[in-house]
Amino acid sequence: MIDLYTWTTPNGRKISILLEELGLPYTVHPIDIGKGEQFKPEFLAISPNNRIPAIVDRDTGFHLMESGAIMLYLAEKAGRLLPTDLEPRYRVIEWLMWQMGGPGPMFGQVHHFVKYNPGKAPYAEERYLKEAHRLYAVLDRRLADHEFVADAYSIADVAIWPWVSRYEWQTVDLHRYVNVLRWYRAIAGRPAIQKGYHVPKKVQEIPSP
């Protein structure tokens, strides 16, 4: 049993979707970041960086923060969505790291400046929107000749998809990126996505471009 501490953000959804894909039993503990619950001492004992998501593995008592590390741990535990052979394994890790270093922080900056604070920092809006489109173009080129980012469906796809699902927040028209659009729709139809997206609560329907 996994205790999942999460909220309705792309990083949080990465883990709930992955748990559904892997079929691992889990209990959800909502951490309302709008109310500052991530700063409570009991949560900081699990996640010293005061960020969701975090997990506790009841089988071992092991706790872990940072979504990328959690994804690697859960995939290893279940023996799925992370290849064991060297090259395909590191191809998955390569694209997982791409999400963590690119779409995660860069799209997050777009949300901050463009969605929540429009007009306050024109330079920042231009900079991060330009970078967001560059990253969409990178993903689109990759998916032009790959069904999924690392060939077979993997934790890399699970990591990237929730960030792309906020394309409206990024003022991105997915029809400009036809390969991303195809990939996005294919993944959006998976049962694990349909369920894991709405953890810890339903905010809206899954965006459908």
Side-chain angles (χ1 to χ4, degrees), residues 105-193:
M106 295 299 104
F107 292 3
Q109 293 296 329
V110 175
H111 302 167
H112 178 79
F113 287 106
V114 176
K115 179 176 173 60
Y116 289 113
N117 296 281
K120 291 184 179 180
Y123 171 75
E125 290 185 39
E126 180 183 4
R127 172 183 171 84
Y128 290 116
L129 277 171
K130 183 177 180 180
E131 178 63 5
H133 279 283
R134 188 191 72 82
L135 290 165
Y136 270 97
V138 170
L139 183 59
D140 198 64
R141 289 193 299 271
R142 175 66 178 178
L143 292 168
D145 54 3
H146 294 80
E147 182 179 6
F148 300 107
V149 292
D151 295 313
Y153 183 67
S154 71
I155 59 173
D157 299 285
V158 177
I160 299 165
W161 187 91
W163 283 100
V164 175
S165 77
R166 284 193 168 170
Y167 60 89
E168 293 173 313
W169 289 30
Q170 300 142 22
T171 65
V172 168
D173 179 3
L174 282 192
H175 292 87
R176 289 183 56 185
Y177 303 101
V178 294
N179 302 306
V180 175
L181 179 62
R182 183 268 308 162
W183 168 88
Y184 176 85
R185 286 174 169 169
I187 293 176
R190 297 177 68 89
I193 296 283

Side-chain angles (χ1 to χ4, degrees), residues 25 41 70 77 90 100 125 168 185:
I70 294 168
K77 181 180 178 72
Y90 275 90
M100 294 172 63
E125 290 185 39
E168 293 173 313
R185 286 174 169 169

Side-chain angles (χ1 to χ4, degrees), residues 78-94:
R80 293 185 55 226
L81 300 185
L82 179 63
T84 55
D85 290 345
L86 184 68
E87 184 173 345
R89 179 183 182 84
Y90 275 90
R91 197 62 63 209
V92 170
I93 293 173
E94 172 183 58

